[in-house]
Each structure stands twice: as C-alpha cells, then as structure tokens.
Amino acid sequence: MNHKISRFFCVKILILLGLVSSLQSVLAGELAEDTGAWLQIVGEGSLAVLDPKWEKGRVWLEGQSRFDGNWEHWYQGMVRTAVGYSLSDRATIWAGYTWLPTQNIGKSYISQQDVWPAFRYILPTDSGTFTFRTMWETNFLRGDQVRERPRQMIKFMHPFEFEPRLSFIAWDEAFYRVNTTTWGGKSGFDQNRVFGGLGWSFNKNVRAELGYLNQYIDDASHRNATMHHLGMASLFINF
C-alpha cells in the first residue's frame, strides 16, 4: 500500500509541475529559449562545532556557477551565507545575505546584493520527505533601487525501496515582485523554477542531486519571457 501511495505522489507532482510549465508557455507573449547548466554546492551545519551551547544555532554556506548560451557562456554566480536557529527538529528560521554577479550576453554587468529572512519546515511522510522554504528577499539593484521579492519553494524527496540511497527529487519555486522598480521590473510574477531528477546519498552527511531544471523568467514589462532548459548538479554537505 505504501508503495502505491509513493508512486501516486510522484506521478501527481510530476503532472503538476508539467502543467505549471505548460501554462507559463501559453501565457507568454514572446518566448526566448536557451540551454545551459547550473552547478551548486551547499553546506549546512550546527554551530555546536564551535561551542556546545550553540547547538540550536545553524550556518548555511552556498555557492553556484551558472552557464547559458548553449553551455558556452558563464553568465551568473551566486554566494549565499546565513545563520539560523532551530525551533525544532523540523523548523528553522534564517537570516542571510546573497551576492549575485551577473553578466548577460549583450547587457551591462550587474552586481546584485540581497538580504533576507527565511523559514524552512521539513515534513517526513510515508511517501517521502517534503521541504517547504519561504524567503523574503530585499534585492539591492542599481543605484538606490530596492526590490522586495518573496519566493516559495516546495521540494519532495522519495527514496526508492530497491535502493534507499537513491531518491527521486522534485521541487518547484515561485518568485513574486512586490514593488515596481526601473531595473527590477513591474510588480507581479517574476519567475518560476521546476526541477526533476535523482539524488544519491553517499552517507548521512553527503548527498548529490542531478537532473533537469526549467527556469521561466518574465521580463520587466510582463510582455515577453525567457525559458532556460538547464542541467543542474548539486552537492549537499551536512556537518
């Protein structure tokens, strides 16, 4: 019975993600498409390694490198760091900073910086583990312009019965612009990311994920859009 429920959840999530992606394509005026890759490494651990009294304190370190132009052009990097506090074994609050240097083809270099609070909740079930992450980014763009942009992620991980170290991974993350800015675009929908792939747990502290990421981005005026078809490889390290 549990096996049937697991398959039901996996199929349902894949259908939902596919519908979201298809709907976005239909609603777009002009849709430009490109291929590329994202590489990611994430480290997270307890501050108890520094002092046992800080057992509930958390630290989050992340780096990404992103390529487009059919994999040939590096266009964006990301460095993210945060400190957090474990409210329970499932819930964690965070306060963080992100640096996002960007060099799009034919456009000026931009060095965006973000500060943000976040809340993450992990929900284990018989079918797999759901992770809910809510972030509210304050994006510092060019000059003194500030954009407020909340984002919501839902992630599902289902280990296979025949090999528990191997997991099906699916997640979706939506971004929304609260205010209108010259460089950050009009308020409203910003972008959506959908991922599907496989994960492999080398041990309880190290996991790799590999799969397909579809990134749909609305332009500043909400008239046209860009869709990136991306291969994504991630390494997660717990300490």
Side-chain angles (χ1 to χ4, degrees):
M1 183 65 179
N2 287 340
H3 182 64
K4 292 182 178 179
I5 293 175
S6 298
R7 287 189 299 175
F8 170 78
F9 268 97
C10 292
V11 172
K12 187 174 182 180
I13 289 174
L14 284 174
I15 292 174
L16 177 60
L17 298 186
L19 287 174
V20 170
S21 181
S22 299
L23 178 61
Q24 290 167 345
S25 300
V26 171
L27 294 178
E30 295 287 337
L31 181 64
E33 297 187 66
D34 194 8
T35 60
W38 284 14
L39 306 176
Q40 173 183 248
I41 182 168
V42 182
E44 183 185 330
S46 171
L47 292 177
V49 296
L50 301 177
D51 190 321
K53 294 184 296 184
W54 299 347
E55 180 182 1
K56 291 189 176 182
R58 307 288 294 175
V59 62
W60 172 0
L61 303 170
E62 180 176 350
Q64 290 189 17
S65 197
R66 301 172 178 177
F67 301 85
D68 64 359
N70 296 322
W71 304 65
E72 297 177 353
H73 173 251
W74 178 93
Y75 75 99
Q76 196 169 64
M78 190 195 75
V79 177
R80 177 181 288 155
T81 181
V83 292
Y85 183 81
S86 296
L87 302 174
S88 68
D89 58 347
R90 296 186 181 182
T92 307
I93 55 174
W94 298 93
Y97 165 82
T98 304
W99 177 47
L100 199 72
T102 304
Q103 181 63 74
N104 287 316
I105 298 175
K107 296 184 179 181
S108 301
Y109 168 80
I110 299 175
S111 181
Q112 179 179 311
Q113 299 182 73
D114 309 332
V115 292
W116 43 269
F119 174 76
R120 183 183 65 195
Y121 188 80
I122 299 173
L123 179 63
T125 71
D126 292 338
S127 301
T129 300
F130 289 88
T131 300
F132 304 88
R133 188 185 72 190
T134 303
M135 299 176 66
W136 187 292
E137 292 179 333
T138 298
N139 308 138
F140 294 90
L141 306 170
R142 296 183 179 182
D144 59 354
Q145 291 195 351
V146 176
R147 177 179 64 187
E148 300 294 334
R149 187 175 69 169
R151 49 194 286 187
Q152 178 65 54
M153 171 187 274
I154 301 175
K155 181 175 183 178
F156 175 70
M157 183 168 67
H158 169 73
F160 293 105
E161 292 183 5
F162 66 87
E163 175 51 84
R165 292 175 295 179
L166 182 65
S167 300
F168 166 76
I169 308 286
W171 56 260
D172 183 271
E173 186 171 23
F175 298 64
Y176 184 85
R177 307 172 200 154
V178 172
N179 59 318
T180 298
T181 60
T182 302
W183 300 103
K186 292 183 178 180
S187 61
F189 172 80
D190 180 76
Q191 65 173 282
N192 193 77
R193 302 173 184 176
V194 180
F195 175 86
L198 297 173
W200 180 267
S201 297
F202 295 94
N203 52 54
K204 65 178 182 179
N205 295 321
V206 181
R207 186 180 77 256
E209 296 179 4
L210 181 65
Y212 167 74
L213 174 64
N214 180 284
Q215 182 189 30
Y216 176 96
I217 308 173
D218 239 3
D219 71 0
S221 63
H222 297 302
R223 294 175 182 171
N224 304 308
T226 301
M227 181 177 288
H228 292 294
H229 302 281
L230 305 164
M232 185 170 187
S234 303
L235 181 66
F236 296 88
I237 302 171
N238 293 318
F239 54 89

